[in-house]
Every structure is written in structure tokens, then in C-alpha cells.
Amino acid sequence: MKILGIETSCDETAAAVVTDSPKGGPAIVSNVIYSQVKAHAPFGGVVPEIASREHVNRIVGVVEQAVEEGGGFDELDGIAVTSGPGLVGCLLVGVQMAKGLAIARGLPWLGINHLEGHLCASLLADEPPEYPHLALVVSGGHTHLYHVPEFGVYHLIGRTLDDAAGEAFDKVAKVLGLGYPGGIHVDRLAQTGDGKAFALPRGLPDKKVFDFSFSGLKTKSIEMIRNSEQPMQGQRLADFCASLQEAIADVLTKKAILAAKKLGVGGIVLAGGVAANSRLRSLLEERTRNHGLWSFSPPRPLCTDNGAMIAAAGWSRFQLGQKTAWDTKVRSRWPLDDLS
């Protein structure tokens, strides 16, 4: 079975084809991504109108390349596309493309939850993680903990009560003048920094609470930058980035491990754009090992938005005989624990 996956929820225009893996799951045949970073960089963040226009301009070429590399349209058995959550204008471009192709080729289509797509990036691994597990989904718009007893079942355990971890990275990076997207620049500079150089707060430290809060960290960080008597540059800048990164990774990993142990699951799956952060990946691996748990972090190219993860989710749901009604609409908000 070959499935085309399309992703246009934010600022990446992406398409991919997956097929059956010899080990029983989905495997990548093609994976094409057009990044809009250059279009949004002058504004320090994603501009919805620009993102939608970029998707319109790029979607046909990206899909055609992915399908051609995947063996052609005649080999497709279904089409999966992100239909939420995300920016409505962006989602519409991908969904209309998917519906049009499905009608023209006589194929079934599936609207996929973007967060489930991130989690399904793990299915593309040579040795995918076992169920049940705990999922830590971290991106610019989401910071959530889910208990995942089996594919397609997601129980919300904890979530951010204000800013997402990725949002904290990006907004502090913007004040530092590091450019967009901020998280990548923070990670790069932090490699030569001291994570203990600056005392930055940890939100909701109560061990019995699995929710997150990053607004206090964001506010305190910006306050320290603006009130600093010394300029944030050189080693001082590296130390600050390392301290910010450490504060975020510390909270995320501690709460994830506490939740995993309470639920009695064997390990933790990391997913989302912030899953590419080097300190988060290494600290999660270190702490899970120390607590007798396993951890899984997707390859970095599959952490950020991509079509392969959507195709993988579609492949899994098509295996169950599922498809989406033609009148299904896009959703700016779509909780992962309510996929109805």
C-alpha cells in the first residue's frame, strides 16, 4: 500500500509517499519539504497570510515531486492530509489539494490530526517504540503529555497552561536578536555555554502536577536581557542560551519521567519541532536510562513539520479501513484526545 501525505498546517509545504515496510510498518519512499523560513524571517515569526500564499505557490510542485519520486500517481492507494490543528488558510490549501487529487484519481482520503502526525514519525523508525508509552509533544504551539496505550488512543495527562516551550524559545531568541526560528539559534549557541550560569525559573515545580508553564521563564528571561548591565554577546550570550535551554529541558524531562512512572509505562516518545533540540534529547535519554525507562527521539529531519509523518499516520489508519467524509472541514483547534 502506498500513501501520499500532505502537510501545510503552518510554514512548511511538504509531501511524502510511504509504503509497507518489510518489518510491518510504514517506510519512506519520498519526502519533499519546502521551508518558508526566508519569507517569514524579516517579520520574526510566521505571518498567516504570507504562509497561505506560499503554500498556494508551492503545493503543486512539491506534491508532483513527491509523487514522481514515489513511483507515480497510478501507484497511490490513498491520500492523507493535515486537516488540523493549524492556521486555517494554510490547512485549506493542503486539504483542497488532497481532495482534488482524491476525486480525480478515485482514491480515498483521510484528514489527519497534526499532533498524531508528529507521534507517527516514530513509526518510520527501523525499530519503532512499543505500546503503551508516554508521549511528550513539544513544538512552537504545543507542549503536551499523553498516555498512549495503543495506536490512535491518546489520553491527555498534562499540558502547558500558557506558553508552549517552543514559543518561549522563539520569543526570547527574538529579544536577543538571534533571528527566526529562534530555537535553532539558541541550540547552536548553547553548545559552548554553561547551563548553570544564569538562574532561570522552573514553572510549576510541584511533582504532583504534570502541567507546564513557560510564561514566567519567558518573562524573566526577557527582563534579565533588557536589564543586563553587560551586553548579551560572546560567552555571556552562549551561557544565557545554555541556561534557557537547560531550564526548558529540565522541566520537560522531569515531568515526563514522573508521569511515565506513575502510569507504569516502559518509556517515553519525544515528538514535535522542539524534539530536535540537542539538550532535550540528551537529557531525556540520560534521565530515562537512570530511571530504568527507554526513550525514543525521531531523526531530526522528522521532528519538524513534514509530509512523511502525515503519510505514516494515514498509512496506519488506512490499514484499519478508515477514510474521511468529503464534507469534513479543517479545524484550527483539534484536541488529540478527541479525534472524533
Side-chain angles (χ1 to χ4, degrees):
M1 183 169 68
K2 280 191 176 181
I3 303 300
L4 168 65
I6 299 173
E7 157 63 26
T8 61
S9 66
C10 191
D11 60 340
E12 265 89 26
T13 311
V17 173
V18 303
T19 192
D20 307 343
S21 163
K23 295 186 177 182
I28 298 175
V29 180
S30 66
N31 191 23
V32 180
I33 303 172
Y34 171 75
S35 174
Q36 300 180 8
V37 167
K38 289 184 179 180
H40 299 286
F43 307 96
V46 177
V47 180
E49 293 81 0
I50 293 177
S52 299
R53 186 170 66 244
E54 287 288 294
H55 286 310
V56 170
N57 292 337
R58 300 289 179 170
I59 187 69
V60 173
V62 168
V63 169
E64 285 184 339
Q65 182 180 344
V67 173
E68 181 179 347
E69 293 177 3
F73 282 104
D74 290 340
E75 292 196 11
L76 295 179
D77 297 291
I79 301 173
V81 60
T82 304
S83 59
L87 300 172
V88 171
C90 296
L91 291 167
L92 282 170
V93 177
V95 169
Q96 293 304 101
M97 182 71 178
K99 284 184 177 181
L101 285 174
I103 292 172
R105 308 298 303 189
L107 297 171
W109 80 286
L110 269 170
I112 299 297
N113 182 291
H114 181 71
L115 299 185
E116 181 173 64
H118 275 301
L119 290 176
C120 285
S122 66
L123 302 180
L124 297 164
D126 290 336
E127 296 183 9
E130 300 175 350
Y131 296 99
H133 59 247
L134 183 82
L136 173 58
V137 183
V138 197
S139 67
H142 306 277
T143 303
H144 295 74
L145 282 173
Y146 295 99
H147 176 213
V148 189
E150 59 183 297
F151 170 75
V153 180
Y154 312 99
H155 302 299
L156 183 64
I157 302 300
R159 64 186 299 273
T160 180
L161 302 180
D162 38 60
D163 294 338
E167 184 179 359
F169 270 128
D170 287 341
K171 289 191 174 179
V172 174
K174 185 175 182 179
V175 175
L176 286 169
L178 299 183
Y180 171 82
I184 297 174
H185 298 292
V186 170
D187 195 357
R188 176 177 56 81
L189 290 166
Q191 300 305 309
T192 57
D194 178 4
K196 298 179 180 179
F198 291 85
L200 295 175
R202 272 66 165 166
L204 300 178
D206 189 341
K207 293 184 177 180
K208 297 180 181 179
V209 178
F210 298 133
D211 289 326
F212 302 94
S213 173
F214 293 103
S215 64
L217 170 62
K218 179 192 71 176
T219 301
K220 181 62 176 179
S221 298
I222 293 174
E223 180 182 280
M224 290 178 71
I225 295 167
R226 290 175 172 167
N227 294 337
S228 177
E229 295 181 357
Q230 303 177 49
M232 285 291 181
Q233 58 188 30
Q235 188 59 48
R236 184 174 174 81
L237 175 59
D239 289 345
F240 190 85
C241 288
S243 299
L244 173 66
Q245 186 166 265
E246 189 69 24
I248 292 175
D250 181 36
V251 170
L252 290 172
T253 55
K254 277 183 178 177
K255 287 184 178 286
I257 289 171
L258 287 169
K261 295 183 74 172
K262 181 179 179 179
L263 292 167
V265 298
I268 299 169
V269 172
L270 182 61
V274 180
N277 180 268
S278 62
R279 183 53 180 157
L280 176 57
R281 294 167 74 94
S282 65
L283 190 58
L284 181 63
E285 181 180 355
E286 174 189 330
R287 287 180 168 173
T288 49
R289 185 173 59 249
N290 291 340
H291 285 85
L293 302 169
W294 54 260
S295 66
F296 178 90
S297 300
R300 282 188 171 83
L302 295 180
C303 291
T304 53
D305 294 349
N306 62 87
M309 69 185 196
I310 302 304
W315 183 94
S316 301
R317 290 193 170 275
F318 277 124
Q319 291 284 353
L320 300 175
Q322 299 179 7
K323 61 182 180 179
T324 302
W326 292 107
D327 60 352
T328 301
K329 299 179 180 179
V330 301
R331 312 186 204 187
S332 60
R333 298 182 182 277
W334 188 9
L336 185 56
D337 53 337
D338 182 16
L339 293 181
S340 57

